[in-house]
Amino acid sequence: MSSDSLVPETRVLAIASHVVYGYVGNKMATLVMQLLGCDVAALNTVHFSNHTGYRQFKGTRSTAQEISDLYQGLCQSHLTDFDVMLSGYAPSAAAVEAVGAIGLDLQRQAESNPGSFFWVLDPVMGDQGRLYVNDDVVPAYKKIIHHADLILPNQFEAEVLSGIKITSLSTLAEAITAIHTTYSVPHVIITSVRISQFSSSPEATTDNLTVIGSTIKSDGSPRLFRVDVPALDCFFSGTGDMFAALTVARLREAIFAADSTLRSTKSWVSPDDVQATDLPLAKATVKVLASMHSVLERTLEARDAELCAAASATEEELSSSEEEKQKREYLRRTKAAEVRIVRNARFLREPDVEFQAQEWKKEDLPVGLQ
Amino acid sequence: MSSDSLVPETRVLAIASHVVYGYVGNKMATLVMQLLGCDVAALNTVHFSNHTGYRQFKGTRSTAQEISDLYQGLCQSHLTDFDVMLSGYAPSAAAVEAVGAIGLDLQRQAESNPGSFFWVLDPVMGDQGRLYVNDDVVPAYKKIIHHADLILPNQFEAEVLSGIKITSLSTLAEAITAIHTTYSVPHVIITSVRISQFSSSPEATTDNLTVIGSTIKSDGSPRLFRVDVPALDCFFSGTGDMFAALTVARLREAIFAADSTLRSTKSWVSPDDVQATDLPLAKATVKVLASMHSVLERTLEARDAELCAAASATEEELSSSEEEKQKREYLRRTKAAEVRIVRNARFLREPDVEFQAQEWKKEDLPVGLQ
């Protein structure tokens, strides 16, 4: 690896979950950002043996007080010169508030230097129509999101935050506009929308995942772009964290590549004459998705190879009940689907596929937004 | 980076401390092994804001029960197919015992496949003549070291374990022999001996750091090699963890490069006819030290640049007491000396300096060992 393939030097505070085994949360995000050249301070909000997709785990959650204490430890030794904060899963409403207070404090420290600090917030609340956090976490997020520079909800989280049920391209655009205006969040990316679910869509027959992003204009309107990538036939845990981490690194790179005044502009918001597909956010997103696609394709190959090579059943397994056999098989498949980051690091640094960002044309948008 | 610069696929369980900011313990070891291509499960024994060299920190220690629980979490989901365990700092005697029980359990799981599991133990107890753990940690280590395949004490820890005060090359050789025989540990490396401290040594005038290693022979005698590297004029935290992590990766690489029967030999002990300098342990050590030297040289440059560029004193600092100014300066210097891993990853993967392992000649050894 030459240092040319690294992004500009970036000091990140990453606040998310830790798992001993596998790659989700901070275990994923920290490594991904480090592989791209970011110096990462990792503040862990839980300490679990493995991700919850295994349906069983052991470990402990950090309290809000423990999260605040660790940050106070950084403050007292003057270790808070971060360029970016990436915040992900927090295990309670109080923990979300503690993370929010950290983001606010870092913003306060940076307020005399616009653009010197940027907060990427992944509002981890649920997926596929279901909350997997306590109900009180939702209002806690709604309070802190006002302060973030970029948020990365999935489709369900975008619905929760915007109050708009996303059933079409029009309602998707409405949800993003609502997030811009309700929360004053300058940048939004909605990760992994399956457009084919919208039966009215002409793309209904192709199985793509679509990522939709926008950077706000000065009049509060969105600049919408979309990137379509082929969907892979497997569920992988940690892809949201991978997306967020890659976005931190690639957005910073795109900001440095843009007009030099941009990086000293509050929240890195491009001037109004920058088109949607020319936004640093759009340029970052295509690189992020290229890396993810390559790594996940190779993960799928490695998963299939691992499942084929799986040791023949042990004597203990042969004598076990049907329920135990099914559980064992589920665990085996979950383990085999762990994302293969370490041996595929080169695809993070040098993505070798090309996706395109497309602008959403006015005719795609509902009448009120045209 | 091509995947050619990665070591053979290796699944590691790393048990050590975590710090939010900077690079020591598992924060250092996990990244270093990952950069070289190892898949690392990271079980953290403490969760601190920063390393203790700052003389202040906040955070929590894991209890022995929490460490055992996390391991039980791995066991219940069949996530324990590790090739190597690297164990470092544990915060209490009970925690050392818990780590020992994990090592023993992994050995038990692997006992029908000799060489399929290897335990590298860094007996973190103290340095420079001083224990920095409770007194009861020493006997706890003495109980578990019998089971390790390779231990990595520094000079002080080697003295504590062997009961031999190291004041000369002869006593150093005696200490290694005692560790081999007392604890049946097949591989030992004593990290960073400053030979110039031995006034009787002919090298007294040069300022080298010497690393001494040995793999036991079938008669219990040592095969001693030494590698001298120029000492750098700075104290860096986390270098022991960096050494240990690099050694895991490079030893595994050297074992795969050796006669194919070696990797299915218990504890990877080479046949008696393999000379000291041809040992996989010696080959690994020269690569490890080459990487470390390059990274630490660049860390020193970056430290000096950071200290030069340090912002002029703030108003708050100007009005502070002399004691406060000194504390602030100490914190600034400690931060500046954090090891620069992320931007120098290429020196880990492709070390570009050459050190030589030398065999200790019989005449170097005390009479009783000839």
Side-chain angles (χ1 to χ4, degrees), chain A residues 152-211:
Chain A
L152 304 170
N154 58 30
Q155 182 177 336
F156 172 67
E157 290 156 349
E159 290 176 344
V160 170
L161 292 175
S162 67
I164 293 167
K165 178 85 185 151
I166 297 172
T167 55
S168 62
L169 288 174
S170 309
T171 44
L172 183 54
E174 278 175 40
I176 290 185
T177 307
I179 288 172
H180 274 322
T181 53
T182 312
Y183 300 98
S184 317
V185 180
H187 309 271
V188 183
I189 300 177
I190 302 190
T191 56
S192 65
V193 179
R194 208 174 274 267
I195 296 282
S196 58
Q197 71 189 314
F198 308 148
S199 56
S200 63
S201 159
E203 293 92 341
T205 52
T206 58
D207 203 13
N208 278 339
L209 280 181
T210 300
V211 171

Side-chain angles (χ1 to χ4, degrees), chain A residues 131-167:
Chain A
L131 277 185
Y132 40 60
V133 293
N134 280 345
D135 288 344
D136 59 353
V137 169
V138 177
Y141 268 118
K142 286 184 173 177
K143 267 190 216 156
I144 71 169
I145 278 175
H146 291 272
H147 305 288
D149 298 297
L150 163 62
I151 70 166
L152 304 170
N154 58 30
Q155 182 177 336
F156 172 67
E157 290 156 349
E159 290 176 344
V160 170
L161 292 175
S162 67
I164 293 167
K165 178 85 185 151
I166 297 172
T167 55

Side-chain angles (χ1 to χ4, degrees), chain B residues 162-332:
Chain B
S162 67
I164 292 166
K165 178 83 185 153
I166 298 172
T167 55
S168 62
L169 289 173
S170 308
T171 45
L172 183 54
E174 278 175 41
I176 290 185
T177 307
I179 288 171
H180 274 324
T181 54
T182 310
Y183 300 99
S184 317
V185 180
H187 309 271
V188 183
I189 301 177
I190 302 189
T191 56
S192 65
V193 179
R194 208 173 273 267
I195 297 281
S196 58
Q197 72 189 312
F198 308 149
S199 57
S200 63
S201 158
E203 293 92 342
T205 53
T206 58
D207 203 15
N208 277 338
L209 278 181
T210 300
V211 171
I212 312 278
S214 168
T215 295
I216 201 167
K217 288 173 80 168
S218 55
D219 64 358
S221 65
R223 268 175 284 196
L224 291 160
F225 62 88
R226 61 182 277 182
V227 188
D228 296 320
V229 296
L232 294 174
D233 184 26
C234 181
F235 177 77
F236 303 106
S237 291
T239 51
D241 308 301
M242 188 181 178
F243 185 94
L246 284 165
T247 298
V248 165
R250 292 300 179 193
L251 180 58
R252 181 111 163 130
E253 178 185 54
I255 295 297
F256 272 66
D259 183 304
S260 66
T261 59
L262 185 56
R263 80 179 92 145
S264 50
T265 302
K266 184 175 181 308
S267 297
W268 302 342
V269 176
S270 300
D272 284 352
D273 61 354
V274 175
Q275 298 299 301
T277 53
D278 293 329
L279 289 168
L281 195 66
K283 292 180 182 176
T285 303
V286 296
K287 277 202 175 183
V288 166
L289 292 172
S291 286
M292 287 190 66
H293 190 72
S294 294
V295 171
L296 295 179
E297 264 189 336
R298 275 148 192 89
T299 297
L300 197 53
E301 285 166 22
R303 180 199 71 155
D304 292 346
E306 181 172 329
L307 291 176
C308 280
S312 47
T314 63
E315 232 166 87
E316 184 192 332
E317 283 167 19
L318 286 173
S319 64
S320 61
S321 70
E322 195 49 43
E323 191 185 349
E324 282 163 355
K325 277 181 198 155
Q326 281 182 12
K327 181 181 171 189
R328 179 66 194 254
E329 180 58 18
Y330 177 79
L331 292 170
R332 207 197 307 265

Side-chain angles (χ1 to χ4, degrees), chain B residues 46-122:
Chain B
V46 308
H47 317 282
F48 288 169
S49 55
N50 50 269
H51 70 70
T52 57
Y54 286 88
R55 298 181 188 155
Q56 57 181 9
F57 62 91
K58 291 185 185 274
T60 54
R61 293 167 178 81
S62 297
T63 64
Q65 187 64 50
E66 286 168 346
I67 292 169
S68 302
D69 280 351
L70 285 171
Y71 180 70
Q72 284 310 313
L74 301 182
C75 290
Q76 73 176 359
S77 293
H78 310 286
L79 302 174
T80 59
D81 54 347
F82 300 112
D83 305 302
V84 177
M85 169 163 133
L86 171 60
S87 61
Y89 180 74
S92 66
V96 169
E97 284 165 19
V99 173
I102 294 171
L104 271 172
D105 190 60
L106 289 170
Q107 276 179 336
R108 188 190 51 71
Q109 291 181 30
E111 66 193 353
S112 60
N113 291 306
S116 65
F117 174 72
F118 192 94
W119 180 3
V120 179
L121 188 154
D122 188 359

Side-chain angles (χ1 to χ4, degrees), chain B residues 96-156:
Chain B
V96 169
E97 284 165 19
V99 173
I102 294 171
L104 271 172
D105 190 60
L106 289 170
Q107 276 179 336
R108 188 190 51 71
Q109 291 181 30
E111 66 193 353
S112 60
N113 291 306
S116 65
F117 174 72
F118 192 94
W119 180 3
V120 179
L121 188 154
D122 188 359
V124 182
M125 295 187 286
D127 203 0
Q128 319 251 343
R130 198 177 63 84
L131 277 185
Y132 43 58
V133 293
N134 281 343
D135 288 346
D136 60 352
V137 169
V138 177
Y141 267 119
K142 286 185 173 177
K143 267 190 215 156
I144 72 169
I145 279 175
H146 291 272
H147 306 288
D149 298 296
L150 163 62
I151 68 166
L152 304 170
N154 58 30
Q155 182 177 333
F156 172 67

Side-chain angles (χ1 to χ4, degrees), chain A residues 38-347:
Chain A
C38 303
D39 206 24
V40 184
L43 199 164
N44 298 328
T45 56
V46 308
H47 317 281
F48 287 170
S49 55
N50 50 268
H51 70 69
T52 57
Y54 286 88
R55 297 181 189 157
Q56 56 181 10
F57 62 90
K58 291 185 184 274
T60 54
R61 292 167 178 82
S62 298
T63 63
Q65 186 64 50
E66 285 167 347
I67 292 170
S68 301
D69 280 351
L70 285 171
Y71 180 69
Q72 284 310 314
L74 301 183
C75 290
Q76 72 177 359
S77 293
H78 310 286
L79 302 174
T80 58
D81 54 347
F82 300 113
D83 305 303
V84 178
M85 170 162 132
L86 170 61
S87 61
Y89 180 74
S92 66
V96 169
E97 284 165 20
V99 173
I102 294 171
L104 271 172
D105 190 60
L106 289 170
Q107 275 178 337
R108 189 190 49 72
Q109 290 182 32
E111 66 193 354
S112 60
N113 291 306
S116 65
F117 174 72
F118 191 94
W119 179 3
V120 179
L121 187 154
D122 189 0
V124 182
M125 296 187 285
D127 203 1
Q128 319 251 343
R130 197 177 64 82
L131 277 185
Y132 40 60
V133 293
N134 280 345
D135 288 344
D136 59 353
V137 169
V138 177
Y141 268 118
K142 286 184 173 177
K143 267 190 216 156
I144 71 169
I145 278 175
H146 291 272
H147 305 288
D149 298 297
L150 163 62
I151 70 166
L152 304 170
N154 58 30
Q155 182 177 336
F156 172 67
E157 290 156 349
E159 290 176 344
V160 170
L161 292 175
S162 67
I164 293 167
K165 178 85 185 151
I166 297 172
T167 55
S168 62
L169 288 174
S170 309
T171 44
L172 183 54
E174 278 175 40
I176 290 185
T177 307
I179 288 172
H180 274 322
T181 53
T182 312
Y183 300 98
S184 317
V185 180
H187 309 271
V188 183
I189 300 177
I190 302 190
T191 56
S192 65
V193 179
R194 208 174 274 267
I195 296 282
S196 58
Q197 71 189 314
F198 308 148
S199 56
S200 63
S201 159
E203 293 92 341
T205 52
T206 58
D207 203 13
N208 278 339
L209 280 181
T210 300
V211 171
I212 312 278
S214 168
T215 295
I216 201 167
K217 288 173 80 169
S218 55
D219 65 358
S221 66
R223 269 175 284 195
L224 289 161
F225 63 87
R226 62 182 276 183
V227 188
D228 296 321
V229 296
L232 295 174
D233 184 26
C234 181
F235 176 77
F236 303 106
S237 292
T239 51
D241 309 300
M242 188 180 178
F243 185 93
L246 284 165
T247 299
V248 165
R250 293 301 179 194
L251 179 58
R252 181 113 162 129
E253 178 184 54
I255 294 297
F256 272 66
D259 183 305
S260 66
T261 59
L262 185 56
R263 78 179 95 146
S264 50
T265 302
K266 185 175 180 310
S267 298
W268 303 342
V269 177
S270 301
D272 284 353
D273 61 353
V274 176
Q275 298 298 303
T277 53
D278 292 329
L279 289 168
L281 195 67
K283 292 180 181 175
T285 302
V286 296
K287 276 201 173 184
V288 166
L289 291 171
S291 286
M292 287 190 65
H293 190 73
S294 294
V295 170
L296 295 179
E297 264 189 338
R298 274 146 194 91
T299 297
L300 197 53
E301 286 166 21
R303 181 200 72 153
D304 292 345
E306 181 172 329
L307 290 175
C308 281
S312 48
T314 63
E315 230 165 89
E316 185 193 331
E317 284 168 18
L318 286 172
S319 64
S320 62
S321 70
E322 195 51 42
E323 189 185 351
E324 282 163 355
K325 277 181 197 153
Q326 280 181 10
K327 180 180 171 188
R328 181 65 193 254
E329 180 58 18
Y330 176 79
L331 292 171
R332 206 196 309 264
R333 297 186 70 83
T334 307
K335 175 177 188 292
E338 288 277 3
V339 179
R340 307 302 199 277
I341 292 292
V342 161
R343 309 293 295 193
N344 294 308
R346 65 184 181 283
F347 298 109

